[in-house]
Structures are given as structure tokens and as C-alpha cells.
Amino acid sequence: MTAVIEEYGVRNRVGLILGLILFFGILLLPTPDGLTPMGKKMGAVAVLMATWWITEATHIAVTALLPIPLLPLLGIMPSSKVAPNYANHIIFLFIGGFILALAMEKWNLHRRIALETIAKVGTRPARLMLGFMIATAFLSMWISNTATTMMMLPIAMAVVNQLAEMAEVEGKRGPDTPVRVQRTFGVMLLLGIAYSASVGGLGTIIGSPTTVAFLGFAQTRFPDQSPIGFLDWSLVCIPLVVVFVPIMWAYLCRFGSNIPLSRIRFMGSQDVIQGELRKMGPMTDPEKVVLAASSLTAFLWIFRRPIELGGFTLPGWSIIFEAPSDIHDATVAMVMGILLCLLPLNLSGGIEWKGRREHFVMDWQTIQKGIPWSIVLLLGGGFALAAGIQESELAHWIGSKMSLLEGMPIWLLVPLVCVIATSLTETTSNIATVLMISPIIAETALQIGVHPYLLLIPASIVCSFAFMLPVATPPNAIVFGSGWLTIPQMFRVGIVMDVIGVMLAPALVYLLGSLVFPFGT
């Protein structure tokens, strides 16, 4: 697949100039009633960052660095308060989780998991697509949705290309059958992979950067609230994944294309998958070590804090330490990530403590190249932006203007917030959207007497439900780069997925979240 180099176009140039005009324009305008001068200055910074993020006037990481010079220069916050936001412990949770993901990729464990899952599903087109979607969603819980999509795309394209030569459509085969199969089954399979990667990442707190961004904001803004742990999040969001992925699969199979997948038949597709597994051979020692480390990490995340089981409390392992509250999921992630860098391997037979540097389970060269450092800076910039909005009382002022929502039924209020969030994220970085809207949503909730988590959690979730455009998410862009898809195809299917997501996420969060999160307190 040929890499596409994006040119700096009209939209980017207009965004660059427009952002600066809005920034200086807001600074020169009179301060609105009820808003502090610092709040007006913070509004100018927020509008500048939002405009540059939306139009990609410069790299998202460059925009994310703006709070470091601007907030002190404008007298909003001193550098000593701005800079720590770029070292939030949530960021290290992201880094530690990514090290585990890179270890999976380094030793091809992720590919083995994907192929094994697909092999057990079956050979019919619909079942084969379900296998790809399940494998993608599961892997996306543990590694980035971008990496998952990149890994699944060549496998999917290879399977489609090979099976197209053995395909029948409605029991017939003609000279155009391979092309028709690629335009129907191939397109739906790629869309299924992209959408499953986005949805599956929500199942765990490390699966999606949008979740990391929300958690970082929530713990900073509401320090008195109990931190949302790995198990808390998964208890609500894994059911969402389990429900949404089959819905997407059913829609794609029946309505996604002009030819329902039930009319396409493949002969010998199971042989293709089994052939790929045979090429991989038996599980290697590095794969076993990474699998064990990943399983142990998940175990430590789940059982870090005490778990209430009716009238019985299962104590968390953190109580063996002097200060259990000082230990976070980031602690576990970094311990396991560092441990992988300290385990040398004798590739012919297990662990060896005198191995060469390149035989370590994980190495800094791989980490340095593999971690998306721009996302790390984006998270830090978002946390700094949110802190500035809070410190300047801009969020309080905006929230006070939203009092018209007071008295609106919850069943209408939550979906409305989700519609706003998912509309923004179609053209803006998902993470940037979460970090921009979270302070406003939180203050609005406080102003109208609703628990902030009841609005914040669904909004952060639907920021991953951007299915209509290639620019909406990295998975969308990756599958669009295959050359098999058109924008109208993606838009037509994606808008339906957006609508379903906006209805499904608030409902499940309210029903299940009421049992896990403190909505009623």
C-alpha cells in the first residue's frame, strides 16, 4: 500500500489565518458580563487551538504545545502549573499500555490471536467478516485502534483477493465476479474492521486515547470522586462493545451493500486462514512471555482495588502496600512495561539473563519508534487546556449560560450532548474533542444539578463513534487508503452507525453505569 503525503492546502492556510484572527479579535473585544478578564483570554486560546485542530493548520502536537507559552504570557496560569499537565499519570498509563501493545506487535502475537479467532468462526462470508470484526474489537481493547487496523488490513485484503477467485454470487460465476466480490464483501469487510477497531477500543481504559483523555480530565477536575478503575470502565463498556459489534455486523451484512453477503459463497476460505497459521508455526517463547505479561497486567488492573460483591468485599492487592491510594493503573502499566525491557531472551530456548540487547523482549528502539509521541503531547496539551479553562472560570461562565437545559428530561439531555460530541468529532481529532468539550460539559452538569459523569462518560464514548468520513478517525483513514472505498460509501454506512451509537451509548451507560458510577450521589 503506497503512503499518501498530504499537501498543505487551502483549508490548512485558511485555518492558520482564521485562528490568529479569532485569537486577537477575542482579546480585543470587551469582556462579556459575568466573565473574568482571564476567562476572556482563555477563551481566545481555546478558540485558537480548536480552530487549528479542526483545520489542521499545523500538526496537532504543535497546537497542543500552545498552552505552555500562551497561558503564562497572558497571565492565566504560571508555567509551574501548566507544565505538569504534560506529565499527568494518565499519560504514563497510555505509554505503559502502548509498550505492551508494541511487544505484541514485535513478536507477532497480535496476528496469531487474530488468525486463531477468525479460524474458529467459519468460512461463510458473513461469519468470516464476524471473525475479523471480533478479532479486531478484541485486539483494539489492548493495542491502539490504529495499530490494530494496520495489522488487520493486509490480512483482510489478502483473504478477499484470494477468495474472490473461488467466489460465486447467487450461485453463479462470471468474468466480473472477482471485481463484484471486492466491491461488496471487500468494502464491507474493511468498514467492519475500521468500525470494530474504534468501538472495541472502548472496552478497556487503555484501548482508546479518548478514554485516557477523559479519565485524566475527570480525576483532575473531580479529585473528591472515586477514581474510575480498569474494572469499573470495563463493566460498562465491554457490554457496549458486545452489543454494538454484532449490530454493526448485521447491518453491514444485510444493508451495507447492494448485494447482501448471504448471496456470496466462498470455497476454501478456511484453507487460507489455516495456511497463514501454518506459516507462523508454533507459539514462540517471546510470544508466551508477552502473553503472560499481558494477562498478568490485566489481572493486576482488575484486582488493584477492592471489589464489592454484594455483601462480600474482595480485597485488592494494593492493600499490601503502605499507601494503596498512591498506586494507580499507570503504576501497573509502567512496572510491566519496564519489566519487558529487562527480560532478555534466548530465542532458541526460553529466558536467558545474558542475552544480547536485541534479544530483549522489549527494547527502547522499538518503543521510541512505535509510541505515537504526538498523541502524548496532544493529551498533555488537552489537560493543560482543560486546566486553564477551569482556572480562568471560563467553564463556569459557559455552564451558567446553559441553564436553559435545566429541567430537560435525562432521556433527552444525554443524547443531545452525545449528538453534539459526535458531530464535532467527525471533523476534529477525537482526543481534541474530548479535551475541548469536557470542561464545558462538566460545568453545565453542575449548573443544572446533574452528576457530571452522567454526561461526561457518554460524551467521551461517542467521540470514538466517528464513522462517516475518512478524516474522522485513523482506522477510517487507513481502510480508505486501500483504494477500495469511496467517500459516499463510507458516509452512507457511517451515518447509520453514528445514529445507532448515539442512541445505544447513553442507554447502556445509564442502565449499567448507574450500578458502577456514582450517578445518584
Side-chain angles (χ1 to χ4, degrees), residues 142-165:
W142 310 102
I143 66 178
S144 76
N145 54 16
T146 304
T148 302
T149 308
M150 285 297 299
M151 182 272 298
M152 297 298 290
L153 179 63
I155 300 175
M157 294 180 70
V159 168
V160 172
N161 286 332
Q162 293 183 53
L163 297 180
E165 299 301 324

mmCIF file of all heavy atoms in Angstrom, residues 142-165:
data_model
loop_
_atom_site.group_PDB
_atom_site.id
_atom_site.type_symbol
_atom_site.label_atom_id
_atom_site.label_comp_id
_atom_site.label_asym_id
_atom_site.label_seq_id
_atom_site.Cartn_x
_atom_site.Cartn_y
_atom_site.Cartn_z
ATOM 1 N N TRP A 142 -6.605 -3.748 23.649
ATOM 2 C CA TRP A 142 -5.284 -3.822 24.267
ATOM 3 C C TRP A 142 -4.214 -3.060 23.497
ATOM 4 O O TRP A 142 -3.215 -2.653 24.077
ATOM 5 C CB TRP A 142 -4.868 -5.293 24.412
ATOM 6 C CG TRP A 142 -5.949 -6.104 25.045
ATOM 7 C CD1 TRP A 142 -6.817 -6.943 24.410
ATOM 8 C CD2 TRP A 142 -6.339 -6.091 26.427
ATOM 9 N NE1 TRP A 142 -7.719 -7.475 25.320
ATOM 10 C CE2 TRP A 142 -7.440 -6.975 26.560
ATOM 11 C CE3 TRP A 142 -5.845 -5.443 27.556
ATOM 12 C CZ2 TRP A 142 -8.056 -7.204 27.783
ATOM 13 C CZ3 TRP A 142 -6.464 -5.674 28.770
ATOM 14 C CH2 TRP A 142 -7.551 -6.548 28.874
ATOM 15 N N ILE A 143 -4.387 -2.929 22.190
ATOM 16 C CA ILE A 143 -3.442 -2.142 21.414
ATOM 17 C C ILE A 143 -4.221 -1.050 20.689
ATOM 18 O O ILE A 143 -5.445 -1.116 20.594
ATOM 19 C CB ILE A 143 -2.633 -3.001 20.419
ATOM 20 C CG1 ILE A 143 -3.530 -3.585 19.329
ATOM 21 C CG2 ILE A 143 -1.911 -4.116 21.133
ATOM 22 C CD1 ILE A 143 -2.774 -4.412 18.296
ATOM 23 N N SER A 144 -3.534 -0.040 20.208
ATOM 24 C CA SER A 144 -4.214 1.106 19.622
ATOM 25 C C SER A 144 -5.068 0.694 18.431
ATOM 26 O O SER A 144 -4.742 -0.249 17.705
ATOM 27 C CB SER A 144 -3.193 2.159 19.175
ATOM 28 O OG SER A 144 -2.562 1.763 17.983
ATOM 29 N N ASN A 145 -6.168 1.427 18.245
ATOM 30 C CA ASN A 145 -7.044 1.098 17.108
ATOM 31 C C ASN A 145 -6.324 1.317 15.781
ATOM 32 O O ASN A 145 -6.610 0.647 14.794
ATOM 33 C CB ASN A 145 -8.357 1.893 17.165
ATOM 34 C CG ASN A 145 -8.141 3.392 17.268
ATOM 35 O OD1 ASN A 145 -7.058 3.909 17.013
ATOM 36 N ND2 ASN A 145 -9.189 4.107 17.653
ATOM 37 N N THR A 146 -5.362 2.236 15.771
ATOM 38 C CA THR A 146 -4.570 2.455 14.559
ATOM 39 C C THR A 146 -3.714 1.232 14.244
ATOM 40 O O THR A 146 -3.695 0.727 13.114
ATOM 41 C CB THR A 146 -3.666 3.688 14.729
ATOM 42 O OG1 THR A 146 -4.473 4.820 15.059
ATOM 43 C CG2 THR A 146 -2.892 3.967 13.457
ATOM 44 N N ALA A 147 -2.989 0.738 15.264
ATOM 45 C CA ALA A 147 -2.136 -0.433 15.065
ATOM 46 C C ALA A 147 -2.972 -1.657 14.711
ATOM 47 O O ALA A 147 -2.580 -2.473 13.857
ATOM 48 C CB ALA A 147 -1.309 -0.700 16.328
ATOM 49 N N THR A 148 -4.118 -1.815 15.359
ATOM 50 C CA THR A 148 -4.993 -2.956 15.079
ATOM 51 C C THR A 148 -5.462 -2.934 13.632
ATOM 52 O O THR A 148 -5.429 -3.960 12.936
ATOM 53 C CB THR A 148 -6.217 -2.940 16.019
ATOM 54 O OG1 THR A 148 -5.781 -2.969 17.374
ATOM 55 C CG2 THR A 148 -7.108 -4.143 15.760
ATOM 56 N N THR A 149 -5.900 -1.779 13.172
ATOM 57 C CA THR A 149 -6.389 -1.667 11.796
ATOM 58 C C THR A 149 -5.268 -1.913 10.795
ATOM 59 O O THR A 149 -5.461 -2.602 9.782
ATOM 60 C CB THR A 149 -7.004 -0.279 11.560
ATOM 61 O OG1 THR A 149 -7.978 -0.008 12.574
ATOM 62 C CG2 THR A 149 -7.677 -0.208 10.199
ATOM 63 N N MET A 150 -4.090 -1.360 11.082
ATOM 64 C CA MET A 150 -2.954 -1.569 10.195
ATOM 65 C C MET A 150 -2.589 -3.051 10.102
ATOM 66 O O MET A 150 -2.187 -3.542 9.040
ATOM 67 C CB MET A 150 -1.744 -0.775 10.691
ATOM 68 C CG MET A 150 -1.820 0.717 10.423
ATOM 69 S SD MET A 150 -1.847 1.130 8.664
ATOM 70 C CE MET A 150 -0.279 0.474 8.130
ATOM 71 N N MET A 151 -2.733 -3.764 11.203
ATOM 72 C CA MET A 151 -2.403 -5.184 11.222
ATOM 73 C C MET A 151 -3.462 -6.009 10.485
ATOM 74 O O MET A 151 -3.130 -6.934 9.732
ATOM 75 C CB MET A 151 -2.278 -5.665 12.676
ATOM 76 C CG MET A 151 -1.889 -7.121 12.845
ATOM 77 S SD MET A 151 -3.307 -8.253 12.860
ATOM 78 C CE MET A 151 -4.170 -7.674 14.303
ATOM 79 N N MET A 152 -4.742 -5.665 10.663
ATOM 80 C CA MET A 152 -5.817 -6.448 10.077
ATOM 81 C C MET A 152 -6.007 -6.168 8.589
ATOM 82 O O MET A 152 -6.448 -7.049 7.835
ATOM 83 C CB MET A 152 -7.132 -6.165 10.813
ATOM 84 C CG MET A 152 -7.143 -6.569 12.278
ATOM 85 S SD MET A 152 -6.897 -8.337 12.526
ATOM 86 C CE MET A 152 -8.441 -8.997 11.912
ATOM 87 N N LEU A 153 -5.678 -4.957 8.143
ATOM 88 C CA LEU A 153 -5.950 -4.575 6.753
ATOM 89 C C LEU A 153 -5.273 -5.489 5.727
ATOM 90 O O LEU A 153 -5.956 -6.004 4.827
ATOM 91 C CB LEU A 153 -5.540 -3.115 6.527
ATOM 92 C CG LEU A 153 -5.748 -2.587 5.101
ATOM 93 C CD1 LEU A 153 -7.219 -2.589 4.728
ATOM 94 C CD2 LEU A 153 -5.167 -1.174 4.970
ATOM 95 N N PRO A 154 -3.960 -5.727 5.822
ATOM 96 C CA PRO A 154 -3.345 -6.599 4.798
ATOM 97 C C PRO A 154 -3.862 -8.029 4.844
ATOM 98 O O PRO A 154 -3.963 -8.680 3.805
ATOM 99 C CB PRO A 154 -1.852 -6.526 5.130
ATOM 100 C CG PRO A 154 -1.767 -6.045 6.532
ATOM 101 C CD PRO A 154 -2.956 -5.177 6.742
ATOM 102 N N ILE A 155 -4.189 -8.521 6.045
ATOM 103 C CA ILE A 155 -4.752 -9.871 6.144
ATOM 104 C C ILE A 155 -6.096 -9.920 5.427
ATOM 105 O O ILE A 155 -6.375 -10.831 4.634
ATOM 106 C CB ILE A 155 -4.912 -10.291 7.618
ATOM 107 C CG1 ILE A 155 -3.561 -10.297 8.331
ATOM 108 C CG2 ILE A 155 -5.552 -11.677 7.716
ATOM 109 C CD1 ILE A 155 -3.660 -10.575 9.818
ATOM 110 N N ALA A 156 -6.939 -8.906 5.690
ATOM 111 C CA ALA A 156 -8.268 -8.872 5.077
ATOM 112 C C ALA A 156 -8.174 -8.760 3.561
ATOM 113 O O ALA A 156 -8.879 -9.469 2.828
ATOM 114 C CB ALA A 156 -9.062 -7.692 5.647
ATOM 115 N N MET A 157 -7.315 -7.891 3.074
ATOM 116 C CA MET A 157 -7.184 -7.713 1.625
ATOM 117 C C MET A 157 -6.646 -8.980 0.959
ATOM 118 O O MET A 157 -7.102 -9.359 -0.130
ATOM 119 C CB MET A 157 -6.274 -6.522 1.331
ATOM 120 C CG MET A 157 -6.851 -5.176 1.759
ATOM 121 S SD MET A 157 -5.765 -3.762 1.419
ATOM 122 C CE MET A 157 -5.861 -3.699 -0.371
ATOM 123 N N ALA A 158 -5.711 -9.647 1.643
ATOM 124 C CA ALA A 158 -5.167 -10.894 1.085
ATOM 125 C C ALA A 158 -6.239 -11.970 1.021
ATOM 126 O O ALA A 158 -6.353 -12.703 0.023
ATOM 127 C CB ALA A 158 -3.988 -11.375 1.927
ATOM 128 N N VAL A 159 -7.047 -12.068 2.074
ATOM 129 C CA VAL A 159 -8.114 -13.074 2.103
ATOM 130 C C VAL A 159 -9.126 -12.803 0.996
ATOM 131 O O VAL A 159 -9.528 -13.710 0.262
ATOM 132 C CB VAL A 159 -8.797 -13.092 3.486
ATOM 133 C CG1 VAL A 159 -10.082 -13.914 3.440
ATOM 134 C CG2 VAL A 159 -7.857 -13.663 4.542
ATOM 135 N N VAL A 160 -9.548 -11.527 0.857
ATOM 136 C CA VAL A 160 -10.543 -11.183 -0.168
ATOM 137 C C VAL A 160 -10.003 -11.472 -1.566
ATOM 138 O O VAL A 160 -10.692 -12.066 -2.413
ATOM 139 C CB VAL A 160 -10.954 -9.705 -0.043
ATOM 140 C CG1 VAL A 160 -11.841 -9.290 -1.224
ATOM 141 C CG2 VAL A 160 -11.698 -9.467 1.261
ATOM 142 N N ASN A 161 -8.773 -11.075 -1.824
ATOM 143 C CA ASN A 161 -8.194 -11.275 -3.158
ATOM 144 C C ASN A 161 -8.080 -12.750 -3.518
ATOM 145 O O ASN A 161 -8.332 -13.154 -4.663
ATOM 146 C CB ASN A 161 -6.824 -10.604 -3.240
ATOM 147 C CG ASN A 161 -6.922 -9.087 -3.319
ATOM 148 O OD1 ASN A 161 -7.914 -8.553 -3.809
ATOM 149 N ND2 ASN A 161 -5.911 -8.397 -2.826
ATOM 150 N N GLN A 162 -7.707 -13.568 -2.530
ATOM 151 C CA GLN A 162 -7.572 -14.996 -2.803
ATOM 152 C C GLN A 162 -8.924 -15.676 -2.942
ATOM 153 O O GLN A 162 -9.108 -16.538 -3.802
ATOM 154 C CB GLN A 162 -6.757 -15.658 -1.687
ATOM 155 C CG GLN A 162 -5.293 -15.206 -1.669
ATOM 156 C CD GLN A 162 -4.473 -15.904 -0.613
ATOM 157 O OE1 GLN A 162 -4.452 -17.138 -0.549
ATOM 158 N NE2 GLN A 162 -3.787 -15.135 0.213
ATOM 159 N N LEU A 163 -9.873 -15.266 -2.097
ATOM 160 C CA LEU A 163 -11.178 -15.919 -2.123
ATOM 161 C C LEU A 163 -12.031 -15.449 -3.307
ATOM 162 O O LEU A 163 -12.949 -16.169 -3.725
ATOM 163 C CB LEU A 163 -11.925 -15.657 -0.822
ATOM 164 C CG LEU A 163 -11.263 -16.215 0.448
ATOM 165 C CD1 LEU A 163 -12.108 -15.896 1.666
ATOM 166 C CD2 LEU A 163 -11.055 -17.714 0.330
ATOM 167 N N ALA A 164 -11.745 -14.256 -3.822
ATOM 168 C CA ALA A 164 -12.530 -13.760 -4.952
ATOM 169 C C ALA A 164 -12.426 -14.675 -6.159
ATOM 170 O O ALA A 164 -13.351 -14.772 -6.975
ATOM 171 C CB ALA A 164 -12.076 -12.349 -5.328
ATOM 172 N N GLU A 165 -11.295 -15.379 -6.283
ATOM 173 C CA GLU A 165 -11.114 -16.308 -7.405
ATOM 174 C C GLU A 165 -11.922 -17.586 -7.211
ATOM 175 O O GLU A 165 -12.040 -18.388 -8.127
ATOM 176 C CB GLU A 165 -9.628 -16.651 -7.541
ATOM 177 C CG GLU A 165 -8.736 -15.443 -7.824
ATOM 178 C CD GLU A 165 -9.140 -14.729 -9.100
ATOM 179 O OE1 GLU A 165 -9.544 -15.411 -10.060
ATOM 180 O OE2 GLU A 165 -9.051 -13.482 -9.132
#
